[in-house]
């Protein structure tokens, strides 16, 4: 079946601009996660959704970052006033929740110039 | 926050040999652990998982060992193949909803 889909695969933007990153999870997966991965490092937790609500957003670095999942399926990660330090690969994962494995998409590589 | 770390950042093995990748976790309350494989330009791919009520679990060519006493996890790959070359991450489930990842071990398989 279809896996987790993330679009765009690459995004280049100028410092100060606004960006949206989209994630289509596996159908039926109630849990959705956003992670950020810098070069040579492991994924860093950003936010977790159970259904439509953000159950844990403690990993969002500051109030420039925001994520939504209005219908409990597709999620959008929004970054305002982008900074060069936001450059990274943003990974989305979905799961059945609880003690079940995360299934990752291939990520969006964000470059802020 | 809690951390999950790996002992060896890079591991080189000969094709056909067995590989062992190690991981230490810090949160004694973690009760679910996963190993992932990540190839360049791709997202992490699930390999195998284990719950804290087990100390060993086997898959196809892979075995995960869990030692809760010393908070240590290992991934054993039998008869390592060139296609196994990748970065391997362990992750632990904290507070039932947050997975923490280590920094990864790069596995190089020499033909």
């Amino acid at each position: 079946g279809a896996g987790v889909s993330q679009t765009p695969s690459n995004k280049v933007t100028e410092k100060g601009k606004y960006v949206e990153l989209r994630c289509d999870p596996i159908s039926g997966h109630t849990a959705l996660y956003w992670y950020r991965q810098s070069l040579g490092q492991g994924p860093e937790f950003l936010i977790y959704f159970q259904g439509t609500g953000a159950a844990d957003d403690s990993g969002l670095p500051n109030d420039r970052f925001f994520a939504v999942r209005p219908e409990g399926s597709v999620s959008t990660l929004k970054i305002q006033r982008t900074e060069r330090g936001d450059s990274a690969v943003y990974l989305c994962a979905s799961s059945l929740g609880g003690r079940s494995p995360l299934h990752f998409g291939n990520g969006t590589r964000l470059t802020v110039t | 926050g809690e951390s999950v770390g790996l002992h060896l950042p890079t591991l080189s093995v000969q094709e056909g040999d067995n590989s062992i990748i190690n991981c230490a976790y810090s949160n004694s309350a973690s009760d679910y652990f996963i190993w992932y494989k990540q190839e360049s330009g791709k997202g992490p791919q699930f390999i195998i998982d284990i719950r804290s009520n087990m100390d060993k679990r086997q898959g196809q060519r892979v075995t995960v060992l869990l030692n809760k006493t010393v908070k240590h996890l290992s991934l054993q790959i039998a008869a390592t193949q060139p296609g196994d070359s990748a970065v391997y991450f362990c992750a632990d489930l904290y507070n039932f909803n947050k997975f923490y990842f280590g920094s990864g071990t790069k596995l190089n398989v020499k033909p």
Side-chain angles (χ1 to χ4, degrees), chain B residues 24-96:
Chain B
Y25 63 96
S26 57
N27 184 9
S28 57
S30 294
D31 64 358
Y32 178 60
F33 306 85
I34 306 178
W35 280 101
Y36 284 92
K37 172 186 180 183
Q38 187 173 28
E39 296 173 295
S40 181
K42 296 185 178 180
Q45 176 187 2
F46 170 80
I47 301 173
I48 192 168
D49 58 358
I50 188 168
R51 298 194 178 196
S52 60
N53 60 353
M54 303 172 69
D55 53 19
K56 179 179 180 178
R57 190 166 189 221
Q58 290 184 290
Q60 187 176 10
R61 284 202 305 118
V62 295
T63 300
V64 55
L65 299 178
L66 174 63
N67 186 330
K68 295 180 289 294
T69 303
V70 295
K71 292 185 284 189
H72 183 269
L73 197 67
S74 69
L75 177 70
Q76 301 177 2
I77 305 174
T80 314
Q81 302 169 359
D84 295 328
S85 293
V87 177
Y88 289 80
F89 295 97
C90 65
D92 73 321
L93 179 62
Y94 175 70
N95 202 27
F96 201 64

Side-chain angles (χ1 to χ4, degrees), chain A residues 33 35 37 40-43 45 48 55-56 58 91 98-106, chain B residues 31-32 34 36 38 41-44 46 49 51 89 93 96-103:
Chain A
Y33 295 77
Y35 280 80
Q37 188 174 29
Q41 298 184 13
F45 172 81
Y48 156 67
D56 187 337
S58 62
L91 294 165
R99 297 176 189 84
S100 60
L102 305 185
H103 297 270
F104 283 88
N106 286 328
Chain B
D31 64 358
Y32 178 60
I34 306 178
Y36 284 92
Q38 187 173 28
K42 296 185 178 180
F46 170 80
D49 58 358
R51 298 194 178 196
F89 295 97
L93 179 62
F96 201 64
N97 64 11
K98 188 183 300 183
F99 285 89
Y100 283 94
F101 285 78
S103 57

Side-chain angles (χ1 to χ4, degrees), chain B residues 11-20 61 77-85 106-111:
Chain B
L11 178 65
S12 293
V13 300
Q14 203 70 37
E15 181 180 359
D17 287 351
N18 297 334
S19 303
I20 299 176
R61 284 202 305 118
I77 305 174
T80 314
Q81 302 169 359
D84 295 328
S85 293
K106 184 175 182 180
L107 178 64
N108 292 321
V109 182
K110 296 176 286 186

